[in-house]
Amino acid sequence: MRAHEHRGRCACGAVRFRVHADLTDVVACHCQTCRRWSGYFWGATHVSREALSIEAGETLTWWASSDLAERGFCAQCGSSLFYRRHDVDRISIAPGALESPTGLATAAHICVAEAGDYYDLDPSLPQKLGPEMDS
């Protein structure tokens, strides 16, 4: 966990946000939806929803990617920024949207059963076939 305030934004700067919480290390998701949405696998750090404040968000758009969750992106530049499930009080944030240095590292891989055939997984990190890492 990394404690302090973090700032982030989309590629064009139309969506800007702050995080007032510890960041978890990155979990990489290899599900087909994440790969199609991001163009590769999608990595995220997680915080409680109340720890995220949107400072500029007129172009922030939410797409219902399933019955369980939605994904936030900038409608102007297309940056993939957020993922949030309806049944939990946390939000996933794309670490690439955060200002550096983040101090984060990739901690685990999920949905590895759906991983693309065009990259290798780091065998030294925990891997889970499905969407959730064990607590």
Side-chain angles (χ1 to χ4, degrees), residues 60-77:
L60 178 59
T61 302
W62 291 93
W63 168 55
S65 57
S66 72
D67 290 340
L68 301 174
E70 58 189 354
R71 296 164 188 267
F73 65 96
C74 176
Q76 184 166 302
C77 67

Side-chain angles (χ1 to χ4, degrees), residues 93-121:
I93 302 169
L98 296 167
E99 291 181 5
S100 293
T102 65
L104 299 175
T106 301
H109 296 277
I110 61 173
C111 297
V112 299
E114 297 181 46
D117 62 356
Y118 44 89
Y119 56 86
D120 295 319
L121 298 174

Side-chain angles (χ1 to χ4, degrees), residues 16 24 33-34 36 49 51 53 70 95 117-119 128 134:
R16 292 186 309 280
T24 62
T33 304
C34 281
R36 287 186 173 157
R49 289 186 190 200
S53 60
E70 58 189 354
D117 62 356
Y118 44 89
Y119 56 86
K128 177 100 174 166
D134 296 329

